[in-house]
Every structure is written in C-alpha cells, then in structure tokens.
C-alpha cells in the first residue's frame, strides 16, 4: 500500500484541493478548507499516510497523522 502524504492546498481561484503527494491532479476540489480537510482525512487514513494542511500562502500550517 502506498504511504504518500495527502496535502490540503490553496489554489489561485480561492478553492482548496486535496492532492496526493507527487500527483499531478487533485483528488477533489472544495470551496472551503474545512470541506477539503473532511474529504482528505479518510483518504490519508486509508493510505496510512499523514494529512498535511497548508495555509493560504501554501506554507505548512499543520500535520495530522
């Protein structure tokens, strides 16, 4: 099973994306950061990976194992 981290990132259009580390496309896109975190958390748990949450400037804000 893959253990790549799942990132919650801010996009230029103001939306938030759930992106697997190294993936070229987002798994999903959401209007709010909270919605993106809710969508990304089960993906990270299924992959036994870390959820990495970025702020509006895409700097790492928090990590959740």
């Amino acid at each position: 099973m893959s253990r790549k981290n799942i990132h919650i990132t801010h996009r230029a259009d103001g939306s938030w994306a759930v992106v697997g580390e190294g993936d070229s496309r987002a798994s999903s896109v959401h209007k709010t950061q909270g919605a993106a975190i809710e969508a990304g958390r089960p993906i990270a748990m299924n992959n036994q990976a870390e959820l990495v949450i970025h702020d509006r400037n895409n700097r790492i804000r928090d990590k959740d194992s």
Side-chain angles (χ1 to χ4, degrees):
M1 184 182 304
S2 176
R3 298 195 81 203
K4 62 183 176 180
N5 294 335
I6 304 299
H7 294 261
I8 306 300
T9 60
H10 191 252
R11 299 176 71 160
D13 66 0
S15 61
W16 293 86
V18 178
V19 182
E21 194 167 291
D23 291 349
S24 59
R25 293 180 47 182
S27 298
S28 59
V29 178
H30 305 271
K31 289 184 180 181
T32 65
Q33 186 182 41
I37 292 169
E38 281 185 39
R41 185 165 279 129
I43 296 169
M45 288 171 50
N46 287 340
N47 291 330
Q48 298 179 343
E50 190 159 27
L51 183 67
V52 181
I53 303 166
H54 297 257
D55 64 13
R56 288 188 179 273
N57 297 317
N58 278 327
R59 291 180 300 215
I60 294 175
R61 181 187 83 154
D62 195 16
K63 291 184 179 184
D64 188 6
S65 296

